[in-house]
Amino acid sequence: MLYTELLRLWDESVQAVDAKDWQGALAKLEKISEPTSRTLFNAASAHLALGQLDLALMALHFTIAKDERLAVGFFQRAAVLMQINRLEEALSDCIWAQKHMRGNVVIDYRQLGLRFKLYSWQVLYNAAAVYSRMGQWERAMEVLLSASQERGGGRGGTMEVALGNIGSKEVLAPIMVPEGVVFRPRKQDVEQLEQRDFLGKAKVISSMIPNDDFGGFEPLRLQKPGFYEPKVDGTQDSRYMRVRTPFMAAGPGQLTVPGGAMVFLFGEEDRDGMATVIYDGQRGLLPVTLLEPAAVKSSKGKKDNSVPSGIPLPPGLKPPARPQAQSSPAAPPRVNLTSDTPPPSYSTATHALLTASVPPKYTANATSNQQVSSCEGAEGGCVLVKVHYTYTVALSVPLDTPYHELKEQIAQKLGQSASQLRLRYKQHGSRVLTPLDGDRDLGHTVQEVAEAGRATLWCQVEDPLASRTILYQMVALYDYASQGPEDLEFSEGDTIDILGEVNEEWLEGHCAGNIGIFPSCFAYRENDIINQSSHL
């Protein structure tokens, strides 16, 4: 059977249903030699309207045989089985309907042509109705209470009335698809059944201008020298469309768009009657039948650049230029940072520099002052050391200051014990924080870690590792959150001291005063040099 013939008979039967001509609808449906699940469901609806329960049940049997996952088919058949007192089969159909809901709260069948929404609570309601007919009132109450906790609309006061009926041991009436609600063919498919004359009637138009070689099927219009453009309406060539009614996405690639929204037509209509549009910055599919042209008007004398939300402007705007640095008339005075001067911050950098008459806000001990004054007297004999702690401090020390003396000064500056401080520095081009230990590196001075008169150190307060050897160091590639008390937690970029190798996939490490195990794939090693004697 041709699909066009099936479509024609299907549409005629739906028209008969709208006119309440149930026998006429059945007569049209019986002429379909290869019925589908939707036409068979329509036949069952017509038999129900005529009170022919046995014929309706048979039509629903064929409907489910055509589509074994049609939840609304099982739902409707369960209601019919209850009316003919086949309760065990009705309960089985309720279970199958709930299974084919696939965990959804609601299934909207409008995309298939049925103007009906099947809610999960309706299926449970019918199951409770079956139990009430079996006399199992406690079970019916349990199922009905679970139905009342389901989400979804359309229930109104139905649930409260049903709970009262079960409490008074009254049988519940089943919920069914309303009379006259049937599967309808798509409007655009039905419109294709009508014959169209795409050529139209020929109309010959002659030109009134002497020696005019223009000939065609359009009225004469003024012509411009060199080219000719047909005149079109403002909305004819516009790619902006307006959505007539709201549309809810029901398939992959479709968009949910409110009614009256403006969209941009991005592609042409496909075989399914869908077109690609852009709305709210997203590209997706909408039915062509919901779109109507919308003219984008601009006021005279002013260029209107406003476009609907989510549709980008054409690439005609100039990109923002790089801001140019303004040359100041006079360079600011150079400030020598000492132990008395705090490091610059965002708050201090946005305000005017203090004059020389304003006394400093921070003071240090006498020993630090003497060292600063001695460094100021010698040209190029001092190093500015910046120490990253929970806050940042800066101090100036001579180039020949040993590591242990530098550690003592930093501990005095921070108010901590030198034995619990751990200093680290970064070698040039490396991400690993190398330990700086005065006890191990005897004879080494600050000059060895300084570059261009500056040195940057990282400081942590940690308990010393007792009799533990650091095999090598690794850098964290990713953040790792501990999964148990034995795990070591760290962040991306942290330096991890490797204390042992548990197996090929797990390592034991130390970071920020904590010891634990972690997956070896979360960190990488910059070099293969193993320092067996490096300690905290």
Side-chain angles (χ1 to χ4, degrees):
M1 184 178 189
L2 294 177
Y3 180 71
T4 54
E5 182 65 17
L6 183 149
L7 199 62
R8 184 183 61 80
L9 292 173
W10 185 6
D11 180 59
E12 291 177 355
S13 67
V14 169
Q15 295 179 11
V17 169
D18 293 339
K20 304 297 182 181
D21 183 9
W22 309 110
Q23 292 291 354
L26 289 173
K28 295 294 182 183
L29 292 173
E30 289 174 357
K31 293 181 180 179
I32 300 177
S33 58
E34 298 177 2
T36 64
S37 61
R38 287 180 280 184
T39 59
L40 289 169
F41 185 92
N42 291 359
S45 300
H47 285 302
L48 285 175
L50 294 174
Q52 302 170 355
L53 297 181
D54 293 336
L55 295 177
L57 184 60
M58 184 178 298
L60 287 173
H61 287 332
F62 290 125
T63 301
I64 295 174
K66 288 284 185 179
D67 189 352
E68 297 178 353
R69 293 175 177 82
L70 190 64
V72 70
F74 286 99
F75 174 77
Q76 188 80 336
R77 191 171 71 174
V80 176
L81 288 170
M82 270 190 279
Q83 296 183 27
I84 60 179
N85 205 29
R86 294 165 63 175
L87 302 181
E88 294 290 343
E89 299 177 47
L91 184 59
S92 176
D93 276 356
C94 290
I95 296 174
W96 279 107
Q98 186 71 17
K99 177 181 178 182
H100 292 309
M101 290 288 291
R102 298 182 299 276
N104 295 313
V105 177
V106 60
I107 296 180
D108 192 350
Y109 285 97
R110 285 182 296 178
Q111 296 299 319
L112 297 179
L114 182 67
R115 299 169 185 173
F116 180 74
K117 293 182 179 180
L118 178 61
Y119 291 92
S120 177
W121 70 265
Q122 292 176 330
V123 179
L124 294 175
Y125 181 96
N126 276 5
V130 174
Y131 282 120
S132 68
R133 293 171 181 266
M134 292 180 175
Q136 301 180 15
W137 302 107
E138 295 182 359
R139 183 60 178 160
M141 180 62 74
E142 292 177 3
V143 176
L144 200 58
L145 287 175
S146 63
S148 63
Q149 297 175 0
E150 290 281 333
R151 293 179 297 172
R155 68 184 70 188
T158 305
M159 201 60 64
E160 289 74 11
V161 175
L163 289 172
N165 291 340
I166 293 297
S168 58
K169 296 185 177 182
E170 297 181 11
V171 175
L172 298 180
I175 299 177
M176 303 180 64
V177 178
E179 182 180 295
V181 178
V182 294
F183 284 99
R184 300 172 182 269
R186 293 196 308 174
K187 182 179 179 182
Q188 54 267 35
D189 292 344
V190 176
E191 291 175 351
Q192 295 295 330
L193 297 175
E194 300 178 2
Q195 294 184 357
R196 297 183 182 181
D197 186 4
F198 293 97
L199 296 178
K201 295 181 180 180
K203 181 171 60 175
V204 179
I205 301 173
S206 61
S207 176
M208 297 176 60
I209 301 177
N211 300 324
D212 186 9
D213 57 354
F214 170 75
F217 298 97
E218 295 182 355
L220 179 65
R221 293 187 299 275
L222 294 178
Q223 303 181 42
K224 298 180 182 180
F227 65 97
Y228 169 72
E229 292 182 355
K231 183 179 179 182
V232 296
D233 298 332
T235 60
Q236 183 174 348
D237 119 265
S238 173
R239 302 289 291 180
Y240 292 98
M241 312 295 285
R242 191 178 302 279
V243 183
R244 285 196 289 263
T245 58
F247 179 76
M248 181 70 68
Q254 297 183 7
L255 291 177
T256 299
V257 181
M262 187 85 75
V263 299
F264 183 79
L265 188 60
F266 190 77
E268 302 298 332
E269 180 182 359
D270 58 11
R271 293 182 178 180
D272 297 330
M274 309 292 285
T276 304
V277 301
I278 295 178
Y279 171 72
D280 196 19
Q282 297 181 351
R283 185 170 67 178
L285 299 174
L286 284 180
V288 177
T289 55
L290 302 182
L291 303 179
E292 59 182 4
V296 181
K297 299 181 180 180
S298 59
S299 58
K300 295 182 179 180
K302 293 183 180 180
K303 188 176 180 180
D304 188 7
N305 290 329
S306 62
V307 295
S309 172
I311 302 177
L313 287 171
L317 302 178
K318 288 185 177 181
R322 183 182 297 276
Q324 299 179 357
Q326 299 179 356
S327 58
S328 57
R334 184 175 181 180
V335 180
N336 293 326
L337 294 178
T338 65
S339 58
D340 295 339
T341 306
S345 61
Y346 177 81
S347 59
T348 58
T350 53
H351 293 78
L353 295 175
L354 297 176
T355 60
S357 59
V358 180
K361 295 183 179 180
Y362 298 92
T363 60
N365 50 62
T367 305
S368 179
N369 290 337
Q370 293 175 1
Q371 292 176 351
V372 172
S373 61
S374 63
C375 290
E376 290 176 351
E379 296 181 358
C382 290
V383 178
L384 178 62
V385 181
K386 181 189 288 185
V387 182
H388 292 294
Y389 185 53
T390 54
Y391 50 90
T392 303
V393 297
L395 66 158
S396 182
V397 298
L399 284 172
D400 55 353
T401 304
Y403 287 169
H404 66 277
E405 291 185 8
L406 176 63
K407 191 173 184 180
E408 292 289 345
Q409 293 186 31
I410 294 175
Q412 190 174 8
K413 191 85 171 179
L414 300 178
Q416 299 288 343
S417 173
S419 61
Q420 293 185 347
L421 288 187
R422 185 181 189 189
L423 299 179
R424 299 184 181 186
Y425 70 97
K426 278 186 181 179
Q427 295 181 355
H428 183 71
S430 174
R431 294 178 59 183
V432 173
L433 294 175
T434 306
L436 187 69
D437 196 341
D439 298 334
R440 179 176 57 85
D441 301 326
L442 294 176
H444 295 273
T445 61
V446 182
Q447 186 176 4
E448 299 179 10
V449 297
E451 295 181 6
R454 294 175 178 269
T456 303
L457 302 178
W458 282 260
C459 179
Q460 291 178 341
V461 177
E462 301 175 354
D463 294 332
L465 293 174
S467 65
R468 295 303 300 270
T469 301
I470 300 175
L471 302 180
Y472 50 89
Q473 291 181 322
M474 301 182 74
V475 179
L477 278 172
Y478 319 101
D479 296 346
Y480 180 68
S482 62
Q483 307 296 322
E486 69 281 357
D487 287 5
L488 176 64
E489 187 169 303
F490 50 80
S491 301
E492 179 183 356
D494 286 353
T495 301
I496 307 171
D497 302 324
I498 304 303
L499 305 179
E501 297 179 352
V502 181
N503 52 35
E504 295 180 357
E505 299 179 353
W506 287 82
L507 300 174
E508 182 184 17
H510 168 265
C511 181
N514 299 318
I515 298 177
I517 62 174
F518 66 95
S520 58
C521 59
F522 274 70
Y524 76 97
R525 185 177 175 184
E526 283 195 340
N527 51 60
D528 296 327
I529 301 174
I530 300 178
N531 300 321
Q532 296 290 346
S533 59
S534 58
H535 298 273
L536 281 174

